[in-house]
Amino acid sequence: MTLPKGRSAGILVPLFSLRSDRGWGVGEFTDVAGIAPWLEAAKMPVLMMLPLVEAALGQDSPYAALSAFALDPIYVSLDQIPDFQEIGGEGALSPEEHRELEAVRARETVDYGTVRRLKNAWLHRSFRRFHESGAAARGERAADLQRFREEQRHWLPDYTLFRALKEAHHLDWWKGWGEELRTRQPHALDAARRQHADAIDFFEYVQWIAYRQLAAARQEARRHGVALAGDLPFMVAEDSADVWGRQDEFDLDATVGVPPDAFSAEGQDWGLPVYRWDVLASRDYDWLRMRGARSAQLFDLVRIDHVVGFYRTYARPRNRSEPYFAPPDEPSQRRQGEEVMNAFRSAGVDLCAEDLGTVPPFVRESLTRIGVPGYRVLRWEKDDAVFRDPDHWPALSLATTGTHDTEPVAVWWDDLPEHERRAARALPALRHLTDEQSNHFSPHVHQAILEAVYRSGSDLLVLPVQDVFGVRERINLPGTVGPENWSYRLPWSITQLHGDPFVRERTRVMAELAERFGRG
């Protein structure tokens, strides 16, 4: 399936935010299929999610990746694994596990520690059943696992060995392993594969289950006309399978960040490794091409996170010498960025680019020239104090009211100074609002803002899920770390989306807006 042609609408909802009656306290791959009928009814046929790659150990952020290719096991639906059902399914949980499961199901937010511990224990038990039953040695499932090994041979062996070694080293950083493993001496790797064969098989089994569940969910979503949009993080964590496996492609003596700007006098240091662009270019960006091909397997559209970093990376040396851009000059930056974008889409997946923040004008010009839409975020589309009319946003763009890093539009509106609120009310779609209607985020304001972006010139509109419903919880507060980030869950289960009176009314409103403004 490809993206809907012409004008269309979609929703941004992290997979972890979905809630289902049988889920284990977090959204699961099967919920992608579960939410598709509701999206069809709301005429929002694009489902955009945050990265689904496995998070670095001890991290909740989906942008701190343990692997560029492995899916996060937290999203696996145990109920859909035959081996889990054969050992008794949920009925086999101990009384204490049952209590923990019911507690995480009822929570307003994701309890990552408990969910990961419960799922990991039962994935291990399911894996043992897979082998003890003989299913791993014969039959269609064994053959399918072998097909999966072949399909993913460019990354799976390194990833599974890395995960097995992490377990054997009590999750220690790979730089702390013995020299022969740290530097990937062939004889040491061969010995480790023999020594940790069972653990390697387990991590392989989990990825097979995860990939197959997501593929099945995507197929079911297609039946409802829903396309999936993924998110490709700019970089993986330094303590990741990819950096360990391809050490010469990363500069570990510097970290990625962003330069000082109006919001931060010091800029930001993300603590991630820096690409060695000369090495990647000499290999025709093969690792990035593989990331694009993997995305094409899973999604119909891919959002390129921090796209400016692929044109020019802001590097901060660990020795505190002067930060620098790589490459250093605009012609080289433009050439590199376009080569990377072409590498990502060489497998045929459509791209959109997160081009927000401090981005030099040539980047957006380049993206337009090569046909990659960038973002138009209502609150930031301004010329000094004047909001740009969304009616005039270019067709080649993605319209939205916010991102996973912004406060929901309800909070944004209430926090606006009065002069900015009046400036927003000068937009044609908001001009009819009275002072009484607009001095706080009211249903009138909500409807007017939705109309502004639905009628925009952008071919693609993707609304954060909070802004569809007008709720105030946020996904992430940049610059902070804590359990309140990356843990938001919808208050309704997927089943309730079809029956709750408030949700049904919002569904009707979204469908009506799509029809009125040619996004149906």
Coordinates of all heavy atoms in Angstrom, one line a residue, residues 240-309:
S240 N 25.0 0.3 21.5 CA 24.1 -0.3 20.7 C 24.7 -1.4 19.8 O 26.0 -1.4 19.6 CB 23.4 0.7 19.7 OG 24.4 1.3 18.8
A241 N 23.9 -2.3 19.3 CA 24.5 -3.3 18.4 C 25.1 -2.8 17.2 O 26.1 -3.3 16.7 CB 23.3 -4.3 18.0
D242 N 24.6 -1.7 16.7 CA 25.1 -1.1 15.4 C 26.5 -0.5 15.6 O 27.4 -0.6 14.8 CB 24.1 -0.1 14.9 CG 22.7 -0.7 14.7 OD1 22.4 -1.2 13.6 OD2 21.9 -0.6 15.6
V243 N 26.6 0.3 16.7 CA 27.9 1.0 16.9 C 29.0 -0.1 17.2 O 30.1 0.0 16.8 CB 27.8 2.0 18.0 CG1 29.1 2.6 18.4 CG2 26.8 3.1 17.6
W244 N 28.6 -1.1 18.1 CA 29.6 -2.1 18.3 C 30.0 -2.9 17.1 O 31.1 -3.2 16.8 CB 29.0 -3.1 19.3 CG 29.8 -4.3 19.6 CD1 31.0 -4.4 20.2 CD2 29.5 -5.7 19.3 NE1 31.5 -5.7 20.3 CE2 30.5 -6.5 19.7 CE3 28.4 -6.3 18.7 CZ2 30.6 -7.9 19.6 CZ3 28.4 -7.7 18.5 CH2 29.4 -8.5 19.0
G245 N 29.0 -3.1 16.2 CA 29.3 -3.9 15.0 C 29.9 -3.1 13.9 O 30.5 -3.7 13.0
R246 N 29.8 -1.8 13.9 CA 30.3 -0.9 12.8 C 31.1 0.2 13.4 O 30.9 1.4 13.0 CB 29.2 -0.4 11.9 CG 28.2 -1.5 11.4 CD 27.0 -1.0 10.7 NE 27.4 -0.5 9.4 CZ 27.2 -1.3 8.3 NH1 26.8 -2.5 8.3 NH2 27.6 -0.8 7.1
Q247 N 32.1 -0.1 14.2 CA 32.7 1.0 15.0 C 33.5 2.0 14.2 O 33.6 3.2 14.5 CB 33.7 0.3 16.0 CG 33.0 -0.5 17.0 CD 34.0 -1.3 17.9 OE1 35.1 -0.8 18.3 NE2 33.6 -2.5 18.3
D248 N 34.0 1.6 13.0 CA 34.7 2.6 12.2 C 33.8 3.6 11.5 O 34.3 4.6 10.9 CB 35.6 1.8 11.1 CG 34.7 1.1 10.1 OD1 33.6 0.6 10.5 OD2 35.2 0.9 9.0
E249 N 32.5 3.4 11.6 CA 31.6 4.4 10.9 C 31.1 5.5 11.9 O 30.3 6.3 11.5 CB 30.4 3.6 10.4 CG 30.8 2.7 9.2 CD 29.6 2.0 8.6 OE1 28.4 2.3 9.0 OE2 29.8 1.1 7.8
F250 N 31.6 5.4 13.1 CA 31.2 6.4 14.2 C 32.4 7.0 14.8 O 33.3 6.3 15.2 CB 30.3 5.7 15.2 CG 29.0 5.0 14.6 CD1 29.0 3.7 14.2 CD2 27.9 5.8 14.5 CE1 27.9 3.1 13.7 CE2 26.7 5.2 13.9 CZ 26.8 3.9 13.5
D251 N 32.3 8.3 15.1 CA 33.3 9.0 15.9 C 32.9 9.0 17.3 O 31.9 9.7 17.7 CB 33.4 10.4 15.3 CG 34.5 11.2 16.1 OD1 35.1 10.6 17.0 OD2 34.8 12.4 15.7
L252 N 33.6 8.2 18.1 CA 33.2 8.1 19.5 C 33.9 9.1 20.4 O 33.8 9.0 21.7 CB 33.5 6.6 20.0 CG 32.8 5.5 19.2 CD1 33.0 4.2 19.8 CD2 31.3 5.8 19.1
D253 N 34.7 9.9 19.8 CA 35.4 11.0 20.5 C 34.6 12.3 20.5 O 35.1 13.3 21.0 CB 36.8 11.2 20.0 CG 37.7 10.0 20.2 OD1 37.6 9.4 21.3 OD2 38.5 9.7 19.3
A254 N 33.4 12.2 20.0 CA 32.5 13.4 20.0 C 31.1 13.0 20.1 O 30.8 11.8 20.0 CB 32.7 14.2 18.7
T255 N 30.2 13.9 20.5 CA 28.8 13.6 20.6 C 27.9 14.5 19.8 O 28.3 15.7 19.5 CB 28.3 13.7 22.1 OG1 28.6 15.0 22.6 CG2 29.0 12.6 22.9
V256 N 26.8 14.1 19.4 CA 25.9 14.8 18.6 C 25.1 15.8 19.5 O 24.7 15.5 20.6 CB 24.9 13.9 17.8 CG1 23.8 14.7 17.2 CG2 25.6 13.1 16.8
G257 N 24.8 17.0 18.9 CA 24.0 17.9 19.6 C 23.4 19.0 18.7 O 23.4 18.7 17.4
V258 N 23.0 20.1 19.2 CA 22.5 21.2 18.4 C 23.2 22.4 18.9 O 23.5 22.5 20.1 CB 21.0 21.3 18.4 CG1 20.3 20.2 17.7 CG2 20.4 21.5 19.8
P259 N 23.4 23.4 18.0 CA 24.1 24.6 18.4 C 23.2 25.5 19.3 O 22.0 25.3 19.4 CB 24.4 25.3 17.1 CG 23.4 24.8 16.1 CD 23.1 23.4 16.6
P260 N 23.8 26.5 19.9 CA 23.0 27.5 20.7 C 22.0 28.2 19.8 O 22.2 28.4 18.6 CB 24.1 28.5 21.2 CG 25.4 27.7 21.2 CD 25.3 26.8 20.0
D261 N 20.8 28.4 20.4 CA 19.8 29.1 19.7 C 19.0 30.0 20.7 O 19.4 30.2 21.8 CB 18.9 28.1 18.9 CG 18.2 27.1 19.9 OD1 18.1 27.4 21.1 OD2 17.8 26.0 19.4
A262 N 17.8 30.5 20.2 CA 17.0 31.4 21.0 C 16.5 30.7 22.3 O 16.1 31.3 23.3 CB 15.9 31.9 20.2
F263 N 16.4 29.3 22.3 CA 15.9 28.6 23.4 C 17.0 28.1 24.3 O 16.6 27.7 25.5 CB 15.1 27.4 22.8 CG 14.0 27.8 21.9 CD1 14.1 27.7 20.6 CD2 12.8 28.4 22.4 CE1 13.1 28.1 19.7 CE2 11.8 28.8 21.6 CZ 11.9 28.7 20.2
S264 N 18.2 28.0 23.9 CA 19.3 27.5 24.7 C 20.6 28.2 24.4 O 21.1 28.0 23.3 CB 19.4 26.0 24.5 OG 20.5 25.5 25.2
A265 N 21.1 28.9 25.4 CA 22.4 29.6 25.1 C 23.5 28.7 25.0 O 24.5 29.0 24.3 CB 22.6 30.6 26.3
E266 N 23.4 27.5 25.5 CA 24.5 26.5 25.4 C 24.3 25.5 24.3 O 25.2 24.7 24.1 CB 24.7 25.8 26.8 CG 24.9 26.7 28.0 CD 26.2 27.4 27.8 OE1 27.2 26.8 27.3 OE2 26.3 28.6 28.3
G267 N 23.1 25.5 23.7 CA 22.8 24.4 22.8 C 22.5 23.2 23.5 O 22.2 23.2 24.7
Q268 N 22.5 22.1 22.8 CA 22.1 20.8 23.5 C 23.2 19.7 23.1 O 23.8 19.7 22.0 CB 20.8 20.3 23.0 CG 19.6 21.1 23.4 CD 18.3 20.6 22.8 OE1 18.1 19.4 22.8 NE2 17.4 21.5 22.4
D269 N 23.4 18.8 24.1 CA 24.3 17.7 23.9 C 23.5 16.4 24.1 O 23.1 16.2 25.2 CB 25.5 17.7 24.8 CG 26.5 16.6 24.6 OD1 26.2 15.7 23.8 OD2 27.6 16.7 25.1
W270 N 23.3 15.7 23.0 CA 22.4 14.5 23.1 C 23.2 13.2 23.6 O 22.5 12.2 23.8 CB 21.7 14.2 21.8 CG 20.8 15.3 21.3 CD1 20.3 16.3 22.1 CD2 20.3 15.5 20.0 NE1 19.5 17.2 21.4 CE2 19.5 16.7 20.1 CE3 20.4 14.9 18.8 CZ2 18.8 17.2 19.0 CZ3 19.8 15.4 17.7 CH2 19.0 16.5 17.8
G271 N 24.5 13.3 23.7 CA 25.2 12.2 24.1 C 25.3 11.0 23.1 O 25.7 9.9 23.5
L272 N 24.9 11.2 21.9 CA 24.9 10.2 20.9 C 26.2 10.3 20.0 O 26.8 11.4 19.9 CB 23.7 10.3 20.0 CG 22.4 10.2 20.6 CD1 21.2 10.6 19.7 CD2 22.1 8.8 21.2
P273 N 26.7 9.2 19.5 CA 27.9 9.2 18.7 C 27.7 10.0 17.4 O 26.5 10.2 16.9 CB 28.2 7.7 18.4 CG 26.9 7.1 18.5 CD 26.1 7.8 19.6
V274 N 28.8 10.4 16.8 CA 28.8 11.2 15.6 C 29.1 10.3 14.4 O 30.0 9.5 14.4 CB 29.8 12.3 15.7 CG1 29.9 13.1 14.3 CG2 29.4 13.3 16.8
Y275 N 28.3 10.5 13.3 CA 28.6 9.7 12.1 C 30.0 10.1 11.5 O 30.4 11.3 11.5 CB 27.6 10.0 11.0 CG 26.2 9.4 11.2 CD1 25.1 10.2 11.4 CD2 26.0 8.0 11.2 CE1 23.9 9.7 11.6 CE2 24.8 7.5 11.4 CZ 23.7 8.3 11.6 OH 22.4 7.8 11.8
R276 N 30.8 9.2 11.0 CA 31.9 9.5 10.2 C 31.5 9.5 8.8 O 31.5 8.4 8.1 CB 33.0 8.4 10.5 CG 33.7 8.5 11.9 CD 34.8 7.6 12.0 NE 35.9 7.9 11.0 CZ 36.9 7.1 10.8 NH1 37.1 6.0 11.4 NH2 37.8 7.4 9.9
W277 N 31.1 10.6 8.3 CA 30.5 10.7 7.0 C 31.4 10.3 5.9 O 30.9 9.8 4.9 CB 30.0 12.2 6.8 CG 28.8 12.5 7.6 CD1 28.7 13.4 8.6 CD2 27.5 11.9 7.6 NE1 27.4 13.5 9.2 CE2 26.7 12.5 8.5 CE3 26.9 10.9 6.8 CZ2 25.3 12.2 8.7 CZ3 25.6 10.6 6.9 CH2 24.8 11.2 7.9
D278 N 32.7 10.5 6.0 CA 33.6 10.1 4.9 C 33.6 8.6 4.8 O 33.6 8.1 3.6 CB 35.0 10.6 5.2 CG 35.6 10.1 6.5 OD1 34.8 9.8 7.5 OD2 36.8 10.1 6.7
V279 N 33.5 7.9 5.9 CA 33.4 6.4 5.8 C 32.1 5.9 5.2 O 32.1 5.1 4.4 CB 33.7 5.8 7.2 CG1 33.6 4.3 7.1 CG2 35.1 6.2 7.7
L280 N 31.0 6.5 5.7 CA 29.7 6.1 5.2 C 29.6 6.4 3.7 O 29.1 5.5 2.9 CB 28.6 6.8 5.9 CG 28.0 6.1 7.2 CD1 29.0 6.1 8.3 CD2 26.7 6.8 7.6
A281 N 30.1 7.5 3.3 CA 30.0 7.9 1.8 C 30.9 6.9 1.0 O 30.5 6.5 -0.1 CB 30.5 9.3 1.6
S282 N 32.0 6.5 1.5 CA 32.9 5.6 0.8 C 32.2 4.2 0.6 O 32.6 3.5 -0.3 CB 34.2 5.4 1.5 OG 34.1 4.6 2.7
R283 N 31.2 3.9 1.4 CA 30.5 2.6 1.3 C 29.1 2.8 0.7 O 28.2 2.0 0.9 CB 30.4 2.0 2.7 CG 31.8 1.6 3.3 CD 31.7 1.2 4.7 NE 33.1 0.9 5.2 CZ 33.4 0.7 6.5 NH1 32.5 0.7 7.4 NH2 34.7 0.4 6.8
D284 N 28.9 4.0 0.1 CA 27.7 4.3 -0.6 C 26.5 4.3 0.4 O 25.4 3.9 0.1 CB 27.4 3.4 -1.7 CG 26.3 3.9 -2.7 OD1 26.1 5.1 -2.7 OD2 25.6 3.1 -3.3
Y285 N 26.8 4.7 1.7 CA 25.8 4.8 2.7 C 25.1 3.5 2.9 O 23.8 3.4 3.1 CB 24.8 5.9 2.4 CG 25.5 7.3 2.2 CD1 25.6 7.8 0.9 CD2 25.9 8.0 3.3 CE1 26.2 9.0 0.7 CE2 26.5 9.3 3.0 CZ 26.7 9.7 1.8 OH 27.3 11.0 1.6
D286 N 25.8 2.4 2.8 CA 25.1 1.0 2.8 C 24.3 0.8 4.1 O 23.2 0.2 4.0 CB 26.1 -0.1 2.6 CG 27.2 -0.2 3.7 OD1 27.4 0.8 4.5 OD2 27.8 -1.2 3.9
W287 N 24.8 1.3 5.3 CA 24.0 1.1 6.5 C 22.7 1.9 6.5 O 21.7 1.4 6.9 CB 24.9 1.5 7.7 CG 24.2 1.2 9.0 CD1 23.9 0.0 9.6 CD2 23.8 2.2 10.0 NE1 23.3 0.2 10.8 CE2 23.3 1.6 11.1 CE3 23.9 3.6 10.0 CZ2 22.8 2.2 12.2 CZ3 23.4 4.3 11.1 CH2 22.9 3.6 12.2
L288 N 22.8 3.1 6.0 CA 21.6 3.9 5.9 C 20.6 3.4 4.8 O 19.4 3.4 5.0 CB 22.0 5.4 5.5 CG 22.8 6.1 6.6 CD1 23.1 7.5 6.1 CD2 22.2 6.1 7.9
R289 N 21.2 2.8 3.7 CA 20.3 2.1 2.8 C 19.6 1.0 3.4 O 18.4 0.7 3.1 CB 21.1 1.7 1.6 CG 21.6 2.8 0.7 CD 22.4 2.2 -0.5 NE 23.0 3.4 -1.3 CZ 22.3 4.1 -2.1 NH1 21.0 3.8 -2.4 NH2 22.9 5.1 -2.7
M290 N 20.3 0.2 4.2 CA 19.6 -0.9 4.9 C 18.6 -0.4 5.9 O 17.5 -1.0 6.0 CB 20.7 -1.7 5.7 CG 21.6 -2.6 4.8 SD 22.6 -3.7 5.7 CE 23.9 -2.6 6.4
R291 N 18.8 0.7 6.5 CA 17.7 1.3 7.4 C 16.5 1.7 6.5 O 15.4 1.5 7.0 CB 18.3 2.5 8.1 CG 19.3 2.1 9.2 CD 19.8 3.4 9.9 NE 18.8 3.8 10.9 CZ 18.9 4.9 11.6 NH1 20.0 5.7 11.4 NH2 18.0 5.3 12.4
G292 N 16.8 2.2 5.4 CA 15.6 2.6 4.5 C 14.9 1.3 4.0 O 13.7 1.3 4.0
A293 N 15.6 0.3 3.7 CA 15.0 -1.0 3.2 C 14.2 -1.6 4.3 O 13.1 -2.1 4.1 CB 16.1 -1.9 2.7
R294 N 14.7 -1.6 5.6 CA 14.0 -2.1 6.7 C 12.7 -1.3 6.9 O 11.6 -1.9 7.2 CB 14.8 -2.1 7.9 CG 14.2 -2.5 9.2 CD 13.7 -1.4 10.0 NE 13.3 -1.7 11.4 CZ 12.7 -0.9 12.2 NH1 12.3 0.2 11.8 NH2 12.3 -1.3 13.4
S295 N 12.8 0.0 6.7 CA 11.6 0.8 6.9 C 10.5 0.5 5.8 O 9.3 0.5 6.1 CB 12.0 2.3 6.8 OG 12.8 2.7 7.9
A296 N 11.0 0.3 4.6 CA 10.1 -0.1 3.5 C 9.4 -1.4 3.8 O 8.2 -1.6 3.3 CB 10.8 -0.1 2.2
Q297 N 10.0 -2.3 4.5 CA 9.4 -3.6 4.9 C 8.2 -3.4 5.8 O 7.2 -4.1 5.8 CB 10.4 -4.5 5.6 CG 11.5 -5.1 4.7 CD 12.4 -6.0 5.6 OE1 12.4 -5.9 6.8 NE2 13.2 -6.8 4.9
L298 N 8.3 -2.3 6.7 CA 7.4 -2.2 7.8 C 6.3 -1.1 7.6 O 5.3 -1.1 8.2 CB 8.2 -1.9 9.1 CG 9.2 -2.9 9.5 CD1 9.9 -2.4 10.7 CD2 8.6 -4.3 9.7
F299 N 6.7 -0.1 6.8 CA 5.9 1.1 6.7 C 5.6 1.6 5.3 O 6.3 1.2 4.4 CB 6.5 2.3 7.5 CG 6.9 1.9 8.9 CD1 8.2 1.8 9.3 CD2 5.9 1.7 9.9 CE1 8.6 1.4 10.6 CE2 6.2 1.4 11.2 CZ 7.6 1.2 11.6
D300 N 4.6 2.5 5.2 CA 4.3 3.1 3.9 C 4.9 4.5 3.8 O 5.1 5.0 2.7 CB 2.8 3.2 3.7 CG 2.1 1.9 3.9 OD1 2.3 1.0 3.0 OD2 1.4 1.6 4.9
L301 N 5.2 5.1 4.9 CA 5.8 6.4 5.0 C 6.7 6.4 6.2 O 6.4 5.8 7.2 CB 4.7 7.5 5.2 CG 5.2 8.9 5.5 CD1 5.8 9.6 4.3 CD2 4.0 9.8 6.0
V302 N 7.9 7.1 6.0 CA 8.8 7.2 7.1 C 9.2 8.7 7.4 O 9.5 9.4 6.5 CB 10.1 6.4 6.8 CG1 11.1 6.6 7.9 CG2 9.8 4.9 6.7
R303 N 9.0 9.0 8.7 CA 9.4 10.4 9.1 C 10.9 10.3 9.4 O 11.4 9.5 10.2 CB 8.6 10.8 10.3 CG 9.1 12.0 11.0 CD 8.3 12.2 12.4 NE 8.7 13.3 13.1 CZ 9.7 13.4 14.0 NH1 10.5 12.4 14.2 NH2 9.9 14.5 14.7
I304 N 11.7 11.2 8.8 CA 13.1 11.3 9.1 C 13.4 12.2 10.2 O 13.2 13.5 10.1 CB 13.9 11.7 7.8 CG1 13.6 10.7 6.7 CG2 15.4 11.7 8.2 CD1 14.0 9.3 6.9
D305 N 13.7 11.7 11.4 CA 14.0 12.5 12.6 C 15.2 13.4 12.4 O 16.2 13.0 11.8 CB 14.1 11.6 13.8 CG 14.5 12.3 15.0 OD1 13.8 13.3 15.4 OD2 15.5 11.9 15.7
H306 N 15.1 14.7 12.8 CA 16.3 15.6 12.8 C 17.0 15.6 11.5 O 18.2 15.4 11.4 CB 17.2 15.2 13.9 CG 18.4 16.2 14.2 ND1 18.2 17.5 14.4 CD2 19.7 16.0 14.1 CE1 19.3 18.1 14.6 NE2 20.3 17.2 14.4
V307 N 16.2 15.9 10.4 CA 16.7 15.8 9.1 C 17.9 16.7 8.8 O 18.9 16.3 8.1 CB 15.6 16.0 8.0 CG1 15.3 17.5 7.9 CG2 16.0 15.5 6.7
V308 N 18.0 17.8 9.5 CA 19.1 18.7 9.3 C 20.4 18.0 9.7 O 21.5 18.3 9.1 CB 18.9 20.0 10.1 CG1 19.0 19.8 11.6 CG2 20.0 21.1 9.7
G309 N 20.4 17.1 10.6 CA 21.6 16.4 11.1 C 22.2 15.5 10.0 O 23.4 15.2 10.0

